[in-house]
Each structure stands twice: as C-alpha cells, then as structure tokens.
Amino acid sequence: MDPSQANEQTPLISPQAQQLVYDQTISDHPRSDPPPATSVPWSQVIPICLIHIAEASSFTCIFPFITEFLTAIDTPKDKIGLYGGIAEGCVQIIEAILAIFWAKMADRFGRKKCLILGFILPICSTTFLGFGKSVGWIIFWRAISGLNPAQTINRVILAEISNPSNRARIYPITDPAYTVGVILGTTIGGELSSPYHKLPRWLGGEVLLFRDYPYALPCLTTTVVGVIALLTSMILLKESKPLEVEARPGEQQQQSTVADTLKAPYYKTVLLVFCANMALFGGLYTVWGYTPVLDGGLGLPVEIIGRLSVIANLSFVFGAPFFVPIIQKRLGAKRGLLLTTGIIPVEVLGIPVVQWAATKGRKAIYETLWLEYGMTTLHAFSWPICHQFLVACFDDYPQLRATGMAVTLIAGAVGRATGPALAGWIYSYSTQFPTGSFGRQLSWLVIFWLVLPAVVLTSYIPRDLEKKAEGGHGSDEEEQVAGLLHSHDE
C-alpha cells in the first residue's frame, strides 16, 4: 500500500506526518527489540504522589463531619442531606467540567506552571471552609476546591515521564497514592473535628479559635499537607511538555479537539473498560453491610464497616506496587487486565453467598467477607493496568495526550458519581422483596450484567496496543521467535 495513503489507524493527522512518526518509531524501536527497561523517575513520581495525597485528603476530610457541621449552623433538618450531598459532590463535578480547559492551558503554558499555580487557591479553600457559618459559605469554598487542575494535569505528566518499559511499576505506585489521601483525609476529618474541650493541648486544645470553629482544625491540617506537596513540586518537578509535533498551518487546532481524541485507535474500547471498573461496589457495600440480616444485609455496626473499608484500601495501597508488576510479568498486560477485570463478575456472584453466610452468624460473615474483599483488592489492581493502556493509546499521538487524559478524568468522574449511587439504589430497592424471591436478587444480577461487558471488551484489545502498554515484552517464547526473525532479516 502507498505509505502516503491514510488508513483506519491514522485518522487524526495528515498521512505524511503520520508516516514520518511511524518511520521514526520503527527506526528507533524495532518491533523485535523491546526498548530497555527504564528506572522509575522518583524525583518526578514523588511530587505527583504528594499532590495526589493532598488533593484526596482535601476532598474527603469533610466526609466524617459534614452532617454535624451543617447541624451546628442550624441548617433545616430536611435540607441537611441535600446540602451535604452538594458539598461532598460538587468538587468532582467542577473538576470534570474544567478538565478540558486545564488540558488546553497545560498544552499552551506548560504542565508544571498550570499545576502549581492552579493548585494554590483550591488547596487553600479548604481552610476557609472550616470557618463557615452558613451553608452558602461551605458550598462556595467546596466549589472553589473544584477548580483544582491536579486530576487532569497529573495524568498528563505521568504519561509523559513514563514509557512502556516502566509503566507497570509507576502506575501501581501513583494510583494507590490517591487512596492514601482518602484514608488520610477521612482520618483527619474524623479525629480532629472535635469540640473544643476534647482537643488535646498539642492539637490546639487551648486555642480559643478552635472553640468557636471546631471544624477549622481538620481543614487547616489538610491545607498544610497541600502546601507541603506544592513546595515539593516546585523544587523537584520538571516540565514534562514535549516539543510540539510539527504540523501544517491550522492542523494543530484540529488535532486537539475531543472528537479527534475519541478517534484515537482503541481509546474508546479501553475507556469503556476503565469506566466499568469504577467503584460500583462502594455504594453497595456500605448499604449492604448496614442493612439488617432479615432484609438481606449483613447487620454490621458502622465502625466495623469503616474498618473493613480501611483494610480494603490499605490492601490496595500496599499490594498494588508489589503484585501488579508480577501479574504483568507473568501474564502480560492484556491477560493481567483480563484477570483483574474478570474477577469482578465473580465478586458479584459472591454477594448472595455472603448474604447466606449472614444467616449463620457473625463468624460466617467474616469468613466469607475475607474472600469477598480479597476479590475486591484484585479487582482494584485493574485500575493501574487500565491507566497504562489509556496512556498507550496516545503514544503515537502526543498532541492529543492532554485532551485524552482530560476525557479520561471526565469518564472516571461520571463512573465514580453514578456507580455507587446506582448500586446503592438497586440494593435498597431489592430489599423490598421477600427473602428468596427474584426481586431480592436484583442487586447483584443487575451489577453482574453491567460489568460483564468490560471483560468482553478487554479481549478485543489488540496485541500492538498491549506491547505499548507493557513495554513490548511478551512471553519468553514470543521473544525468542521475534529474535530469530530479526536475525533472519539481518
């Protein structure tokens, strides 16, 4: 075929430019010789991890005390749930709305500059929130937190400082960092939002300020975490924006649109897998654990549900950096994603098993829950693997990378917002039906059929994209064959 002729793999740039990129890629990295493994750039990864932790802790610190906070400022009882939901959720909604804007700014002015300057006001807004005396004040400063560009720009920076040979080690470190921030934020919010007389001296127990504003201390603490992350980024983080791809006049503007980003080969397939792997179980597990046994739940106390959630999160934090690289080394990126995604339908099928165990006593619940949460942890390992595939979709289209990561953020935000709400609502609805009836099984049946397509879609990911995601390292037998063919060609 004439190399200047466009095909379905090159819908985004001119045929001449695409062929130039292709020829250069082939000359630099022959298919038969995977690029050598690159060490993890810790000086860049550490600031990104700290930004993740700071952002997540700022986002979640109000969760433990928001209801009490709204009650303390005399909010009408029938509006507390509404205003609390708005205060909790508006941050991610605004982040998703502004994701494309921050991608454009990062393309125009640079990643580091936009990340640091854009992060200052949102991280400081959490402190102002703690001094609120009205619902409008609280929601306003939470909305300001949503101006945060970190979710978008962090993804872009990680895509640019990594390469196929070290992604399997970088993403299992950076993805759990956000979970660390969630744990830190909820812990700070729960432990430091005490009335004045309960605060120890070293935490401001004699500072009159915290008597009048008992929720200011946790907010101020998370701001300190953010300032540390900012200072670290200013010192260590380097600009990752690559040189502009040479393009004809007027072509660059066309290449940066969302429509063209969605045309990147296999991006939509991987994006759908990523969305299906979002936290459908977050809302279900909370409601399921608290619901009485006779209504199809587990009848667990709130503190036990909280501890189980922390244990599951810690299992992901400490397990992902160790197990994800092993899974990919043994199975490859595609089969690793098939394993970690394929466990989700099995995890769903475990729900009625644990429900049955709940009728046998608390001991049976814990014995089956350990297995269920083990599958949840394995399921969580799919997130860093999915991120590697999402980044690999733009290896040949660096000019679309920022917009692509912004679209990924938007899709993830939609998944996190609708997944738990949908799962929790379906489960609550199913408890209205008699025990043993078909209606009582709706919760896990609906979720099973919602997540099953992700497993099917994973099987359609092509081998060439897998090589980009995992560094081109196939099985030993495949590498031997590739080496023989390369020697024969020479």
Side-chain angles (χ1 to χ4, degrees):
M1 183 181 68
D2 184 355
S4 65
Q5 183 178 349
N7 56 62
E8 63 179 2
Q9 300 298 323
T10 59
L12 305 176
I13 60 178
S14 65
Q16 293 82 1
Q18 172 63 17
Q19 187 63 31
L20 179 61
V21 172
Y22 178 82
D23 291 342
Q24 184 177 359
T25 303
I26 292 299
S27 63
D28 292 342
H29 302 293
R31 288 183 179 271
S32 56
D33 291 332
T38 305
S39 60
V40 175
W42 290 107
S43 62
Q44 308 305 294
V45 169
I46 289 175
I48 295 300
C49 287
L50 290 178
I51 291 288
H52 273 320
I53 292 171
E55 181 196 16
S57 62
S58 176
F59 171 61
T60 59
C61 77
I62 74 164
F63 288 7
F65 63 77
I66 184 61
T67 300
E68 187 179 65
F69 194 0
L70 292 172
T71 302
I73 59 176
D74 299 324
T75 304
K77 290 184 178 180
D78 61 336
K79 302 294 184 183
I80 289 178
L82 172 64
Y83 294 144
I86 294 174
E88 291 176 353
C90 67
V91 176
Q92 288 194 332
I93 293 174
I94 295 176
E95 282 184 350
I97 292 173
L98 294 178
I100 300 297
F101 167 79
W102 283 120
K104 302 287 188 183
M105 293 298 100
D107 277 341
R108 183 174 180 180
F109 299 108
R111 315 324 189 192
K112 180 177 179 179
K113 183 184 297 183
C114 286
L115 176 63
I116 292 176
L117 294 179
F119 196 60
I120 293 175
L121 179 59
I123 201 65
C124 292
S125 68
T126 306
T127 292
F128 294 116
L129 181 148
F131 293 96
K133 289 295 186 179
S134 68
V135 171
W137 177 279
I138 294 172
I139 293 178
F140 172 78
W141 287 111
R142 283 291 283 182
I144 295 298
S145 295
L147 301 178
N148 184 1
Q151 281 278 8
T152 298
I153 299 180
N154 273 357
R155 295 170 188 266
V156 180
I157 294 176
L158 286 173
E160 291 170 346
I161 67 173
S162 65
N163 61 60
S165 70
N166 60 16
R167 285 173 184 156
R169 287 172 290 157
I170 290 179
Y171 282 95
I173 296 170
T174 55
D175 280 3
Y178 191 88
T179 304
V180 172
V182 171
I183 297 173
L184 179 64
T186 52
T187 302
I188 290 173
E191 296 298 326
L192 301 188
S193 58
S194 304
Y196 169 78
H197 65 277
K198 291 184 180 180
L199 285 175
R201 179 179 300 178
W202 66 277
L203 284 178
E206 295 182 353
V207 179
L208 296 178
L209 177 66
F210 298 126
R211 180 184 64 184
D212 297 329
Y213 300 97
Y215 306 102
L217 183 58
C219 296
L220 179 61
T221 303
T222 56
T223 296
V224 171
V225 175
V227 171
I228 294 173
L230 270 174
L231 293 175
T232 305
S233 299
M234 291 174 64
I235 296 170
L236 296 181
L237 196 63
K238 297 178 181 178
E239 178 56 55
S240 65
K241 182 182 177 183
L243 295 175
E244 294 290 338
V245 177
E246 188 173 340
R248 294 177 301 181
E251 191 177 50
Q252 188 66 30
Q253 180 68 26
Q254 180 184 1
Q255 293 169 352
S256 61
T257 64
V258 174
D260 282 338
T261 299
L262 292 174
K263 294 177 184 177
Y266 313 113
Y267 174 62
K268 287 187 288 188
T269 298
V270 181
L271 191 63
L272 289 173
V273 174
F274 176 69
C275 290
N277 284 343
M278 298 312 295
L280 273 172
F281 299 99
L284 172 62
Y285 278 10
T286 302
V287 179
W288 179 43
Y290 187 75
T291 301
V293 174
L294 293 178
D295 292 331
L298 306 183
L300 297 175
V302 173
E303 60 269 19
I304 297 298
I305 297 173
R307 291 170 188 170
L308 289 172
S309 177
V310 170
I311 291 172
N313 285 328
L314 289 176
S315 299
F316 173 59
V317 168
F318 291 105
F322 179 76
F323 287 109
V324 171
I326 293 177
I327 290 173
Q328 290 191 220
K329 184 177 181 180
R330 297 290 179 85
L331 302 178
K334 180 177 178 177
R335 284 187 290 181
L337 186 59
L338 275 171
L339 170 65
T340 54
T341 301
I343 200 66
I344 304 178
V346 181
E347 183 184 355
V348 177
L349 294 176
I351 292 175
V353 176
V354 184
Q355 285 178 316
W356 171 82
T359 64
K360 306 300 180 182
R362 188 65 61 83
K363 181 180 178 181
I365 292 177
Y366 291 144
E367 289 174 347
T368 51
L369 268 182
W370 284 119
L371 178 61
E372 187 74 4
Y373 273 97
M375 291 188 289
T376 300
T377 302
L378 182 59
H379 153 207
F381 291 164
S382 65
W383 301 337
I385 302 177
C386 253
H387 275 142
Q388 296 171 54
F389 278 102
L390 287 166
V391 171
C393 289
F394 298 100
D395 279 351
D396 293 335
Y397 309 101
Q399 72 282 357
L400 294 175
R401 187 178 286 129
T403 305
M405 296 303 101
V407 173
T408 301
L409 167 63
I410 294 171
V414 171
R416 282 191 296 270
T418 60
L422 176 63
W425 175 77
I426 293 174
Y427 180 78
S428 298
Y429 180 73
S430 69
T431 60
Q432 301 177 15
F433 295 90
T435 302
S437 65
F438 177 81
R440 179 63 69 83
Q441 314 307 316
L442 281 177
S443 58
W444 64 270
L445 284 173
V446 171
I447 296 176
F448 177 84
W449 288 108
L450 285 175
V451 299
L452 190 61
V455 182
V456 178
L457 286 172
T458 303
S459 64
Y460 282 93
I461 295 177
R463 177 60 180 161
D464 59 343
L465 185 61
E466 180 185 16
K467 286 185 176 182
K468 294 177 184 178
E470 67 179 359
H473 296 279
S475 65
D476 294 338
E477 181 178 338
E478 289 173 333
E479 290 181 0
Q480 290 174 5
V481 172
L484 289 174
L485 290 174
H486 182 55
S487 299
H488 175 73
D489 291 341
E490 289 181 342

